[in-house]
């Protein structure tokens, strides 16, 4: 009973910026991880960035220094600030929430939002 609603995707030129947001609702524990994955044409889904409810973050090497993930525990919302965008960043971006209950992992996914980077 967890729902994730994404927004912020769109079309941008190389070097531009976008900010994605994902709001979670439902039965969410106090300890969880939220993150962003992406899947480009003909590619596997890959982790872009993630943040824990404690504030720890990790990034894919390809986006370090360009993307910043942040979260609001009270709102159960995660953001992805995307700067210096490249054509290689073009993909459908999916929000993810993971929580562990009694040693079992549960994963929830948003519907995806398209990010297109071209001239």
């Amino acid at each position: 009973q967890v729902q994730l609603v994404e927004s912020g995707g769109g079309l941008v030129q190389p070097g531009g910026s976008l900010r994605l947001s994902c709001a979670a609702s439902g039965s969410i524990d106090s300890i969880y991880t939220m993150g962003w994955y992406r899947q480009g044409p003909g590619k596997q889904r890959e982790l872009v960035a993630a943040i824990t409810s404690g504030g720890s973050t990790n990034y894919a090497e390809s986006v370090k220094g360009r993307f910043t993930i942040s979260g609001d525990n009270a709102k159960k919302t995660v953001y992805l600030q995307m700067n210096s965008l490249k054509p290689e960043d073009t993909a459908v971006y999916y929000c993810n929430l993971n929580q562990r209950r009694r040693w079992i992992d549960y994963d929830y996914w948003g519907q995806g939002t398209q990010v297109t980077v071209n001239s």
Side-chain angles (χ1 to χ4, degrees):
Q1 291 186 283
V2 175
Q3 184 178 6
L4 304 176
V5 179
E6 302 164 323
S7 63
L11 175 65
V12 66
Q13 294 185 344
S17 298
L18 288 172
R19 190 180 76 153
L20 307 182
S21 64
C22 175
S25 62
S27 182
I28 303 170
D29 292 342
S30 60
I31 301 176
Y32 60 91
T33 299
M34 294 186 70
W36 292 93
Y37 291 71
R38 68 186 182 188
Q39 186 169 18
K43 298 180 179 179
Q44 297 290 110
R45 185 175 298 187
E46 64 177 350
L47 175 68
V48 178
I51 186 169
T52 71
S53 52
S56 298
T57 61
N58 69 292
Y59 297 88
E61 289 296 326
S62 61
V63 306
K64 284 184 177 179
R66 299 190 298 122
F67 293 7
T68 302
I69 190 169
S70 60
D72 185 327
N73 285 336
K75 297 181 179 180
K76 296 296 186 292
T77 300
V78 66
Y79 306 92
L80 185 67
Q81 180 66 47
M82 309 166 67
N83 298 325
S84 301
L85 283 161
K86 304 175 180 179
E88 307 92 88
D89 297 317
T90 296
V92 178
Y93 284 69
Y94 297 91
C95 181
N96 167 265
L97 185 148
N98 175 273
Q99 61 184 1
R100 178 169 290 179
R101 291 181 173 177
R102 296 176 293 278
W103 308 103
I104 300 173
D105 285 331
Y106 297 85
D107 279 287
Y108 305 91
W109 296 92
Q111 79 283 358
T113 184
Q114 177 70 47
V115 172
T116 302
V117 185
N118 60 30
S119 300

